[in-house]
């Protein structure tokens, strides 16, 4: 399962409205090879389901992840920070054995 914080929920709803995404849009999250730690997070708005997609809904936000990426993301919380150390969405991933300083890549 992948969850979302209250702060991330609010930010995502505001961003979807601001960017004019259709009502059936969702947040697609995934993992790809790369980054300074070996694996990098991917995230975008989408409205087309694919074969092998897994769907989670938390706090009214639909999160979709491909089965292959789910192995790395299971138990992860998507959070939002507006603090001085960097503003934006980030992943709290219990499966990561280490992360880079920017938080955009990780290793398991």
């Amino acid at each position: 399962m992948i969850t979302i914080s209250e702060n991330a929920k609010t930010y995502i709803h505001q961003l979807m409205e601001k960017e004019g995404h259709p009502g059936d849009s969702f947040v697609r999250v995934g993992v790809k090879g790369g980054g300074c730690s070996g694996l990098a997070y991917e995230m975008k708005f989408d409205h087309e389901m694919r074969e092998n997609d897994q769907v989670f809904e938390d706090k009214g936000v639909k999160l979709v992840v491909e089965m292959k990426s789910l192995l790395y993301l299971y138990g992860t919380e998507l959070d939002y920070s507006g603090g001085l150390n960097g503003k934006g969405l980030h992943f709290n991933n219990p499966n990561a054995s280490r992360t880079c300083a920017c938080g955009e890549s990780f290793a398991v």
Side-chain angles (χ1 to χ4, degrees):
M1 172 164 221
I2 298 174
T3 59
I4 188 167
S5 72
E6 283 292 330
N7 288 338
K9 174 192 91 165
T10 301
Y11 179 74
I12 287 170
H13 283 299
Q14 291 171 347
L15 192 58
M16 288 178 84
E17 185 177 318
K18 179 181 175 183
E19 293 183 359
H21 291 282
D24 62 344
S25 294
F26 51 82
V27 179
R28 179 175 292 282
V29 294
V31 173
K32 67 178 180 176
C36 52
S37 293
L39 296 168
Y41 297 109
E42 293 183 300
M43 183 171 37
K44 68 178 183 173
F45 293 118
D46 199 351
H47 62 275
E48 293 184 23
M49 297 293 289
R50 301 179 192 153
E51 190 175 340
N52 296 322
D53 277 346
Q54 300 297 305
V55 180
F56 302 96
E57 190 161 336
D58 189 32
K59 298 177 182 65
V61 176
K62 190 175 187 181
L63 302 163
V64 176
V65 62
E66 182 185 30
M67 183 60 97
K68 192 165 98 175
S69 291
L70 183 59
L71 298 172
Y72 299 104
L73 296 174
Y74 196 82
T76 296
E77 178 190 48
L78 184 57
D79 196 8
Y80 173 79
S81 174
L84 296 173
N85 291 337
K87 182 177 181 179
L89 292 164
H90 61 273
F91 294 83
N92 295 323
N93 187 345
N95 305 303
S97 61
R98 72 176 194 269
T99 60
C100 66
C102 68
E104 293 181 11
S105 68
F106 68 102
V108 289

